[in-house]
Amino acid sequence: MENAEGSGAGLDATLAAAPVAADYPDMVTVDPDHYVLADEIARGGMGRIRVARDRRLGRRIALKEVLVRRGDIARRFEREARITARLEHPGIVSVHEAGAWPSGEPFIAMRLVSGRSLDEVIADARTLSARLALLPNVLAVADAMAYAHDQQILHRDLKPKNVLVGTFGETVVIDWGLAKDLRAPDELPSLERMPPTATTAGADETVPSDTDASGALTAAGSVMGTPAYMPPEQARGESVDARADVYAIGAILYHVLAGHAPIQARTANAAIEDVIAGRIAPLAKLEPDAPAELVAIASRAMARDPEDRYPSARELADDLRRFQTGQLVGAHRYTVRDLLAKWFRKYRTILGVSAAAVALLAIVGTISVIRVIRERERAEVQRALAEQNRAESEGLVGFMLGDLRDQLEPLGRLDLLDKVTERAVTYYNRQPAGADDLEQAAKRATALAMRANVLEAQGNLVGARDHYRQAIAIRRELVRLRPAALQWQSELAANQRKLSDILRTQGDKAGALVAARDALAIAQTLTSREPRNPEWRRELANANKKVGDVLRALDDRDGALTSYRSALMIRERLAHELPDNVGYQRELAISHERVGELLQDKGDLAGALAVYRAGLAIAEPLPAREPKHKAKTNEHWRDLAIFHTRIGDVLLEQHDHDGALAEYRAALEIPTRLSTEQPDNVQWLRDASIAHVKLGDALVEKGDRTAALAEYTQDLELAKRLAAIDPTNAEWQRDLSVSHEKVGDVALALANPRQALTEYRASLVIAKALADGDPSSARWRSDLAASYRKVAQAHRALGEEKKAIDADAEADKLGPER
């Protein structure tokens, strides 16, 4: 019998459909020999969770089982499995498998998160300062629930015990046993509409009795949820919507700020009565030092009337994110003193070194006070915001482009510049931008370029392209009006190079070549004006390298090699003339890498190997030359890892499998070691992820698919962590998609097409989201086509030819794949 996946509109329509019907109405029987069971880590009244090892894939998992043989409990458990499996989000526990043992008891095999529940973490945080450090965990819960609500799923039992904080910073929402699918009939008994009854459960325990993954005692009752964290309408047994989960997130934030749950009653009945009556101690009195904005966010989220709460978890998450990034929070009412003090605190470092900024603050503060005095309530905040935007834009663009961006990029948090750059562009678009104010026009171009940079990191290539083009048009006019300003010419060349990158990614290779050659022409003009200026010669090397990149994409390998060698020659001279300049030495090493790549592309493996090893010899001493500059030292270590990887690639092509494995392991050692020293630097996670992929590829070539699967699985876990850190980072989302494919490929080779199909579908969901986000990107379309082909392969291996044909048809619509 065919399900929705094999009908009518094809596989693309299946992805959009929700919920997707399962092929099997009942849980499939699974051989218990597939798992080796270990320690029990949680137990409730109806079930338990044990650590287990999946013998098929060689990974540790969490295995949840039902202990009570009752038909309604089994149905609820099966419902939990199906709902949780549909929620594919890094902040929600993932289901690897669900089924039933031969004896009939159902089970769920889930991702094992090494860590502790959020309530344990809060209990160990003895001070407000320590608890405020847990705010990112609350934000992660809000983001996960925003996704679940978008899928029309309510949790209905959010609490710190149902949030796991992993050893590596993961925040995962678990225990979806009371979840409700708003698009499907609720299969649970209609307990929502029954009046509350007495129970022996504590105020922080779940009623009715159900599997409690945290191990807390439970007791029978008739109100679903956990009294200490449920909203009044849920406590009254009424139907609830997404705003019930919003209330629970607010209660978790309350717990973080106060150090204990909002309700402190001894019994569930007493807790329910307190919730209904609104007898909750005000946060401001419990913890007077708590940030007023966070108190306001918690208060709005926990409003007794659902109409007074945040309409969605997404809006609650947005307010939390605004607090984290120093922006004004919508739930809080600011006084004039608050606004000025907040601005000064946020930018005190810059104000301390810039007299101009101090003067600007005085002017803006005066204007703000005068206007705020004249206005009232909401108008006060709106005018103060306008002045704050001016101060942010005028005084901080240079800072954003320099130190702040350099600090955020290794953390994978360029997204934090999103709103700031948007405001800066808005501000400068309103200012004069002509010959009468060239400096103001230059600032506007800088703001546009920075905005483009952030949009590019988010995968919005169309927006990035358009912003770069606007910046380029302004800079061209500036250069025309003031041709002696060579720095403006240099900035124009830099923008042309960035535009070239974006056009090449979008598939417009001809346009990319024009932009790259424009940058080269500018660099040639600069060096002709000042032939000994090392910065202009460096600009010329960069432009030659960019032309080489585009020619390589156009399969003009000879032309690309010529451009790369031109860049190499310039950098050799610079490095020789200025041997103390570590930056020039590093760029020389990178030029060796580019030439090596071209030689490798042309089949000259011996030549490529020699060039790579020469580059490695230049790069090896560099980390020790800048030991006190962490960001630069990190770059040097990354270069070493890249050279080991490139050498491994050549050795692999030469079928020297052991040599390649040795190089890949040397590459992996660097990010693995440094990630322990610098846990906040996400670049090490990504580098380790790439190294695991390379090791897996080499092991596949060697014929050791089992070992390859282990490497790919480690890569997949790292890719999931990265994607969770910044869901807006398109490259990291693509990495996750490819990681799923890699695991699927080996599963297919090991004769496990069902597992392969699961991984390919996960990859397809991500690839489709990227393609839908930027339909103009040839790269995303190509990736999506490749994902459909993979799905087709798995269906054919399962004998599902109709589904395979549908998947191939979707790929055909998209053109050639990668």
Side-chain angles (χ1 to χ4, degrees), residues 209-221:
S209 176
D210 198 1
T211 304
D212 189 340
S214 67
L217 296 174
T218 62

Side-chain angles (χ1 to χ4, degrees), residues 1-57:
M1 180 178 68
E2 282 198 355
N3 68 354
E5 290 177 286
S7 63
L11 194 58
D12 209 27
T14 300
L15 287 171
V20 177
D23 288 342
Y24 303 98
D26 299 316
M27 299 290 248
V28 176
T29 301
V30 176
D31 186 349
D33 285 341
H34 289 166
Y35 297 96
V36 177
L37 302 179
D39 296 337
E40 181 174 304
I41 55 175
R43 175 181 285 263
M46 298 292 176
R48 65 183 175 188
I49 296 179
R50 302 172 70 178
V51 176
R53 184 171 67 86
D54 186 333
R55 298 176 64 190
R56 295 163 294 179
L57 296 179

Side-chain angles (χ1 to χ4, degrees), residues 767-788:
K768 190 173 189 303
L770 289 170
D772 288 347
D774 185 2
S776 72
S777 172
R779 184 188 188 197
W780 300 148
R781 292 197 308 274
S782 172
D783 284 353
L784 181 57
S787 290
Y788 276 119

Side-chain angles (χ1 to χ4, degrees), residues 202-207 225-231 247 263 267-269 271-272 275:
D204 64 340
E205 294 163 5
T206 303
V207 289
T226 302
Y229 302 92
M230 68 169 59
Y247 182 102
I263 299 295
T267 67
N269 270 356
I272 289 172
V275 170

Side-chain angles (χ1 to χ4, degrees), residues 409-600:
E409 188 169 24
L411 302 177
R413 297 311 308 272
L414 278 182
D415 58 298
L416 296 182
L417 296 178
D418 185 22
K419 293 298 182 183
V420 182
T421 56
E422 185 179 21
R423 288 180 178 183
V425 170
T426 300
Y427 169 76
Y428 282 115
N429 281 341
R430 295 171 180 165
Q431 306 305 310
D436 56 332
D437 195 345
L438 300 187
E439 295 296 336
Q440 194 78 355
K443 290 178 181 179
R444 180 182 175 220
T446 299
L448 286 163
M450 185 58 191
R451 179 67 181 151
N453 191 225
V454 173
L455 292 172
E456 181 183 6
Q458 293 175 338
N460 183 355
L461 298 185
V462 173
R465 178 199 65 196
D466 292 345
H467 279 75
Y468 275 129
R469 282 176 170 165
Q470 291 179 59
I472 288 168
I474 293 170
R475 294 197 193 281
R476 279 179 173 160
E477 181 65 11
L478 289 171
V479 169
R480 186 185 71 80
L481 293 171
R482 193 181 292 175
L486 300 188
Q487 185 58 43
W488 286 354
Q489 294 193 39
S490 175
E491 290 165 355
L492 174 57
N495 288 172
Q496 291 281 18
R497 293 200 310 273
K498 292 297 294 183
L499 177 61
S500 176
D501 285 338
I502 290 174
L503 294 174
R504 177 160 51 91
T505 301
Q506 290 183 310
D508 183 3
K509 297 174 185 177
L513 186 58
V514 169
R517 284 179 169 159
D518 284 348
L520 179 59
I522 295 168
Q524 289 168 338
T525 299
L526 289 170
T527 52
S528 68
R529 296 279 295 274
E530 295 180 359
R532 301 303 300 169
N533 186 316
E535 280 305 302
W536 304 155
R537 292 155 67 194
R538 179 175 178 265
E539 189 73 54
L540 183 59
N542 291 339
N544 272 295
K545 182 261 181 189
K546 195 60 60 182
V547 171
D549 290 343
V550 183
L551 292 174
R552 184 180 178 189
L554 289 165
D555 291 326
D556 182 358
R557 295 176 182 173
D558 291 333
L561 185 57
T562 298
S563 293
Y564 284 155
R565 281 179 168 156
S566 295
L568 177 61
M569 290 175 61
I570 296 169
R571 286 172 174 165
E572 280 178 335
R573 288 194 292 270
L574 285 170
H576 175 72
E577 294 170 12
L578 299 165
D580 294 334
N581 189 312
V582 180
Y584 290 163
Q585 300 294 328
R586 176 176 183 256
E587 289 172 354
L588 175 59
I590 293 172
S591 275
H592 279 82
E593 181 202 352
R594 291 291 186 270
V595 171
E597 287 179 325
L598 251 297
L599 292 173
Q600 189 175 353

